Every structure is written in C-alpha cells, then in structure tokens.
Amino acid sequence: MDKTDRKLLQILHKNSRISIVELSQKINLSRPSVKERINKLVEQGIIKNFTIQLSMEHIKQTITFFTELSNVTLPVGKVLALLKGSPYVNEVHIVSGEVNYLVKATVTNTTEMKDLLAKWMEFANVKSSVVLETPVANQLHFFNNDC
C-alpha cells in the first residue's frame, strides 16, 4: 500500500459514496486506475465493506451508552448471541483486564436502557456510562508506511 492508496482510503473513509470521477480528480489518477486500486484494496481485505453512518437522533435513538460486563456467568457463545441479537447493541468488544466485554448500545429512552441493563445483570456485573457528546468519532490514521 503506497501513499496514493492511503489518500484514497482517507477520502473513502470520509465519504464512501464519492464518485470515481471525484476520487480521480482528488488524487490525480485516471478513473480506471482509481477503480483498479479500489478493487485491489477490496481483494486484499484492506477495505472490508462500504457502509453508512446513521444520525441516531434522526431515527429517535438518542441515548448512547457504554457498558462494561464483568464476572460473566455464561459461556462466550451465549453472551455473544444475546448481545448480537439485541436491536440496541451497536458494538461488542471482548477486552482484557477485569472487564470481559465492552458494549456500545443506543436506545430511545431510559426505560429501554433500564430493561436492557436488567437483562445483562442476570449474567454479569454491569457498569454503564451515558455518552454526553462525541467530539471525535470514527477517525482514520496512518502512522507508518507499512500498513
């Protein structure tokens, strides 16, 4: 992956709907070259998929929170099935340290949050923090040339 690929990824990261024409203009390459580079990045597994970011406020899910699950009493497979099956769960991270899982969820109201946390309390110790603001989100950095 070279400097041009990294620039291409940064542009796509900000807006995956950008046209090939616009991309080619921004990185000074022909449209076929840009398309070929994107295809190669997909084939190499560097680009996993093209996606969207929703405005949670516009879909009425206004409370985002992180929950630490520790001292979990269920097997990993059951925990992951429960978390993946929840329409409120956005992300699940298996982490090191005293905490087993870090879960990001978004709900419409505090009743939904309370009910969700009560379900999780049946199999784990639960510690939650509500997101007040997200001043930095979804950044992409390249720290070296050997990505």
Side-chain angles (χ1 to χ4, degrees):
M1 192 165 72
D2 63 12
K3 187 177 181 178
T4 302
D5 287 335
R6 288 191 293 279
K7 179 70 174 168
L8 179 65
L9 289 172
Q10 287 175 325
I11 294 167
L12 286 171
H13 184 73
K14 289 180 183 172
N15 178 10
S16 63
R17 287 186 50 135
I18 191 170
S19 71
I20 297 294
V21 172
E22 284 180 273
L23 269 172
S24 67
Q25 292 169 350
K26 287 182 183 262
I27 60 174
N28 297 319
L29 282 179
S30 69
R31 291 183 309 226
S33 294
V34 169
K35 182 70 174 143
E36 183 179 321
R37 281 179 179 265
I38 291 172
N39 289 342
K40 190 179 286 186
L41 291 167
V42 170
E43 288 170 14
Q44 293 172 341
I46 294 169
I47 295 177
K48 290 175 26 177
N49 55 71
F50 298 85
T51 187
I52 60 169
Q53 265 186 296
L54 297 175
S55 166
M56 299 311 274
E57 293 82 23
H58 283 91
I59 61 171
K60 306 297 186 230
Q61 289 186 308
T62 56
I63 301 171
T64 299
F65 61 99
F66 287 90
T67 300
E68 296 177 349
L69 301 178
S70 58
N71 298 320
V72 177
T73 59
L74 295 176
V76 173
K78 286 189 178 183
V79 173
L80 292 177
L82 285 168
L83 296 173
K84 287 179 182 180
S86 172
Y88 305 108
V89 172
N90 306 114
E91 297 176 13
V92 177
H93 304 274
I94 298 174
V95 296
S96 64
E98 293 180 26
V99 174
N100 304 111
Y101 301 90
L102 180 62
V103 181
K104 179 182 177 186
T106 310
V107 294
T108 304
N109 55 53
T110 55
T111 300
E112 287 177 350
M113 182 178 174
K114 180 183 63 122
D115 292 345
L116 189 59
L117 294 175
K119 286 180 189 174
W120 296 345
M121 285 180 203
E122 293 175 10
F123 63 86
N125 291 340
V126 173
K127 182 178 174 184
S128 294
S129 298
V130 174
V131 174
L132 301 176
E133 181 181 7
T134 305
V136 179
N138 200 28
Q139 286 196 107
L140 177 66
H141 297 285
F142 292 104
F143 294 106
N144 62 42
N145 295 334
D146 302 326
C147 295

